Amino acid sequence: MRGIWLIAIYLAIIVLPLILAAAGVRPPRPVWDEIASGAGMVAFAILLAEFLLSGRFRAISGGVGMDVTMRFHQLLARSALALVIVHPFLYTTPFGWALPYDPSRQLTLVQPGPALMAGAAAWILLPAFVLVSIARSDLFKRYENWRWAHGLGAALIAGLSWYHATQAGRYSSDPALYWLWTGLFAVAILSLASVYVLRPIIKLRRPWKVCEIHKAADQTWAVDLEPVGHDGISYKAGQFFWLNIGHSAFSLSENPFSVASAPAQKGKLSFVIKELGDFTSTLGSIPQGAKAYVDGPFGHMTIEGRHEPGIGLVAGGVGIAPMLSILRELDATGDTRPVKLVYGNRNKRQIVASEELDRYAQRPDVDVVHVIAEPGPDWCGETGTTDAAFVRRHFGRPEQRDWLYVLCGPPAMMTGAEEVLLALGVAPDNILSERFTYD
């Protein structure tokens, strides 16, 4: 339901400029001129609303997931780009200086000047901005450099577009539309200030420190944090945080990691992190007591408030982190619903918390199934991958159709598992997943 309301609000923001423009009293123009103006207004409204979709606001992403929010952000950015590109070419009335015998400006569009130049600059910058965002992994070696460029670039394009719309727009000179654009532009800039200034200040006042780092499995580390001078943070099992270790609170050197600890473990935060070649390759050298900052919690991949008769957990590799959080919380709260964990790895050395999982498996309500893609001679469990046939075999019983399912792991694994569960009759609302990578 929250997703439906968010879409409705978003559509209202996009349509409102058109409604205000139509409500004004203006002489009629050729239909293509009206379409051109409408395309420009819708594109600008989308651009301003995009700031809220990329600002890690839990009120927006909490009900649908940050990955869905970001995919929506990407889709609409490309839609805005298409409208911006065609916007100047749809006009049939020529650009030019006002004619003395045409006081209502029916024979010419906006005259050359700063307002037109601002629009032209935004028209050139936006395609480059979108293309750079799509190719960010190839163009930027460090994620934080891309974040700075993305934020500042978006602010520049929004500012140029605001000036163009309010000074050159035929309808935007009307007070109602002028103040709508100004208000939306102010909200967009404030959202940037919230991410780049306000949140770092809050984090600075609530620091954490590394109390333990140890090897959890092959190329995988367990990182435990404890609060410094405060009582910690409230979160739900299965959520994730943006983690910053060893940098300033204002640094953008942070990465998203699912929490592995349970909310019942007051104060402490635990993460399971795999070495991937970025800052994660330095985890073994981080000293105990190193300062850390967390931003969150985020994510809707949580079982809190869900009352399905059973819980199915499908994890691949380091995707075990949120499953550990959920299992630990179920254990701490005495929840006795049947739980089945399917946990896939490439080899036995990559299994995280194997002894703890074995203890859970001793309970009559918990079933833990390990599957190894490259088994050694001493492996006697399941072999292969968590493919469609495997998921169908373990979750194909009729009574499991009404369970709640939580998926975390490689994107291909999650997509395959989702498709199988849906084919088995599981309701989409009963399948929770969240991706940290976007195409």
Side-chain angles (χ1 to χ4, degrees), residues 145-156:
N145 292 340
W146 174 78
R147 276 193 64 192
W148 276 115
H150 193 70
L152 295 176
L156 174 61

Side-chain angles (χ1 to χ4, degrees), residues 280-293:
T280 57
S281 61
T282 67
L283 285 171
S285 61
I286 293 176
Q288 187 172 344
K291 186 168 290 187
Y293 299 97

